[in-house]
Amino acid sequence: MTKHVPIGLIETPFQQRLEALSTAKSWTNWAGYVSPATLDTVEFEYFAIRNQTTLFDISPMHKYRITGPDALEVVNRLVTRDTAKLRDGRVGYVLWCDEEGMVIDDGTLFRYSETDFRLCCQEPMYTWLLDTAWGFDAEIADESQDIAALSLQGPTSFSLLQDAGLGDVAEMKPFDWREIEPDLWVSRTGFTGDLGYELWVPNGNALDLWDRLWASGSHWGLKAIGFEALNICRIEAGFVAAGFDFQPVHTAMRLRRGRSPLELGFAKMVDFTKGHFNGRRALLKQRQTGLRYHLRKIDIGGFKPADGALIYHKKKNEVGHVTSGVWSPTTKRNIALAEFKAPFGEGITDDLWAEVYVNEEGQWDKRLVPVTIEDKPFFINSRARATPPRSF
């Protein structure tokens, strides 16, 4: 018997619905799956996130179940934070490193219990997790092709869930997660910095979930979106993205292209007191000897997006570059995440300039515009944390 091997990009369980809604026909490759870059226009989709409710298919994420008596020990051996402090029914943002302290990937860790976790991330991690769990009484299962998920984000998302009969999410705080109905798990998480939820179901229940949400969505302005609009929102929220703001070290083609959690600004996510974890010795040494880079949020003068722009000190010495940059329609600011060579961006934060190229009437013009270091997210809205959320 010949086993069918899919050729090309794999379709998620929601592709049938997405294809019917797509007017842009703009698709991209996400972890081997076909995923929308845009379905309509970036502008319409972005403003839907900030003013209505949106659906984004997050099924392509890799999903791994870690179970067994030693599941907590395996997870704590893997990631940099102390997951023993993560309570049942909670979600934690996590990073994990190789033995040189370079970030392999980041993701979200869902805790069912001390003996049961699910790790969601961008990069394939199955063999790495098997190596991490070696010698422990724990099992690793790849659920990537078994579990479908939707991200429901926006100020009216809670109202939509109420209309869909899922009002039990009202008392869920940010980073809570629970089984609302049999085989329907909901987490109060997202990548927009706004009010939002993520819904998780077995693949066989995926279309029923979509149709249920869509049937309740017209009153709340529900719109399906692609990655490009979501990317603007995540930069506004100050969230880093693998492949944009850091290179996952296992995919790096050249030496020293990896970055540590300390260099990415996640020192608070590294718990040196919890015992050994992958990369601990290297990170202790780096903390003592000093960092090579600093990833910072920046405000850039003018209104021309500066994605990829070089950054200079005193307009002459190159000291960094923009990793993710956009014009923020909501905050009306030219914002970015940028990597600086130490000590710039942390110790030295003044007299910084970005080199921006502008095409006006067919003529390219180079401009140096001022750079200001920012400590807080560019977009902050109280509804993202309000419990219960506001019902419209």
Side-chain angles (χ1 to χ4, degrees):
M1 180 177 176
T2 303
K3 182 179 179 181
H4 173 68
V5 178
I7 299 175
L9 296 180
I10 305 169
E11 294 184 352
T12 77
F14 301 110
Q15 181 61 25
Q16 177 184 346
R17 300 292 188 268
L18 293 168
E19 185 71 48
L21 294 169
S22 177
T23 57
K25 305 301 179 186
S26 178
W27 306 95
T28 188
N29 179 347
W30 180 10
Y33 287 81
V34 58
S35 178
T38 56
L39 291 165
D40 187 350
T41 68
V42 177
E43 293 81 7
F44 285 164
E45 293 174 15
Y46 166 82
F47 284 109
I49 297 173
R50 290 293 183 232
N51 297 283
Q52 301 157 209
T53 300
T54 56
L55 272 179
F56 181 64
D57 181 7
I58 57 174
S59 303
M61 284 197 303
H62 293 282
K63 300 170 280 283
Y64 302 101
R65 199 68 170 265
I66 305 165
T67 58
D70 293 341
L72 176 59
E73 286 77 4
V74 170
V75 170
N76 247 356
R77 175 72 166 78
L78 174 74
V79 304
T80 60
R81 68 182 292 179
D82 187 359
T83 54
K85 298 177 181 178
L86 191 67
R87 302 190 306 274
D88 294 354
R90 293 285 288 170
V91 185
Y93 174 68
V94 292
L95 306 98
W96 53 100
C97 306
D98 64 6
E99 288 305 314
E100 295 182 348
M102 300 297 104
V103 175
I104 297 172
D105 202 2
D106 65 343
T108 45
L109 183 70
F110 297 75
R111 174 164 169 157
Y112 294 86
S113 70
E114 186 173 323
T115 59
D116 193 354
F117 296 84
R118 176 184 288 156
L119 179 68
C120 295
C121 55
Q122 174 176 291
E123 300 298 312
M125 286 293 131
Y126 186 61
T127 56
W128 185 259
L129 288 173
L130 288 178
D131 289 343
T132 302
W134 187 84
F136 290 96
D137 187 2
E139 294 185 1
I140 310 296
D142 188 346
E143 298 182 327
S144 302
Q145 297 189 34
D146 302 323
I147 302 296
L150 290 170
S151 182
L152 186 78
Q153 303 286 309
T156 63
S157 56
F158 170 64
S159 296
L160 189 154
L161 289 176
Q162 281 185 311
D163 281 2
L166 299 172
D168 288 347
V169 303
E171 298 306 317
M172 290 180 64
K173 298 178 181 178
F175 293 98
D176 274 351
W177 110 294
R178 65 181 62 166
E179 189 174 24
I180 299 298
E181 295 178 357
D183 285 334
L184 172 56
W185 287 79
V186 178
S187 56
R188 190 169 168 183
T189 50
F191 208 42
T192 65
D194 215 317
L195 175 63
Y197 303 84
E198 293 173 338
L199 298 89
W200 311 79
V201 292
N203 278 1
N205 299 350
L207 290 182
D208 288 341
L209 173 62
W210 178 286
D211 293 342
R212 179 179 181 178
L213 296 174
W214 205 258
S216 301
S218 60
H219 185 62
W220 305 112
L222 181 61
K223 190 175 188 67
I225 64 165
F227 173 75
E228 291 185 8
L230 177 66
N231 191 49
I232 299 174
C233 291
R234 72 93 184 168
I235 297 172
E236 288 179 333
F239 296 152
V240 302
F244 291 85
D245 306 302
F246 70 94
Q247 187 68 23
V249 71
H250 280 179
T251 66
M253 301 297 290
R254 300 178 185 178
L255 293 175
R256 301 179 183 87
R257 289 296 170 92
R259 299 292 182 261
S260 77
L262 308 181
E263 293 169 335
L264 295 178
F266 293 112
K268 292 182 179 180
M269 299 288 295
V270 181
D271 191 333
F272 291 108
T273 67
K274 70 167 183 170
H276 185 68
F277 57 88
N278 293 337
R280 182 178 184 273
R281 297 185 186 92
L283 291 175
L284 278 171
K285 182 178 179 181
Q286 186 181 69
R287 188 174 67 170
Q288 295 168 353
T289 59
L291 308 183
R292 303 169 301 161
Y293 302 97
H294 299 292
L295 185 70
R296 300 300 304 273
K297 294 179 282 291
I298 63 172
D299 185 291
I300 301 174
F303 58 90
K304 296 296 183 181
D307 197 29
L310 295 177
I311 298 176
Y312 295 87
H313 181 238
K314 297 184 177 180
K315 299 185 178 181
K316 59 182 179 180
N317 299 318
E318 181 188 330
V319 298
H321 69 280
V322 172
T323 58
S324 298
V326 294
W327 170 258
S328 167
T330 297
T331 66
K332 302 297 187 291
R333 301 167 66 187
N334 201 12
I335 63 174
L337 299 177
E339 180 180 270
F340 294 87
K341 301 173 185 176
F344 299 96
E346 189 75 33
I348 302 175
T349 60
D350 60 345
D351 210 354
L352 298 172
W353 302 81
E355 184 178 78
V356 179
Y357 287 83
V358 181
N359 189 331
E360 292 184 346
E361 298 180 344
Q363 182 71 38
W364 284 101
D365 181 30
K366 181 177 73 173
R367 300 174 183 173
L368 285 173
V369 294
V371 167
T372 303
I373 304 293
E374 299 285 337
D375 292 323
K376 296 181 179 180
F378 307 105
F379 175 85
I380 302 175
N381 194 297
S382 60
R383 65 180 174 238
R385 303 194 64 84
T387 304
R390 179 185 174 189
S391 181
F392 289 86

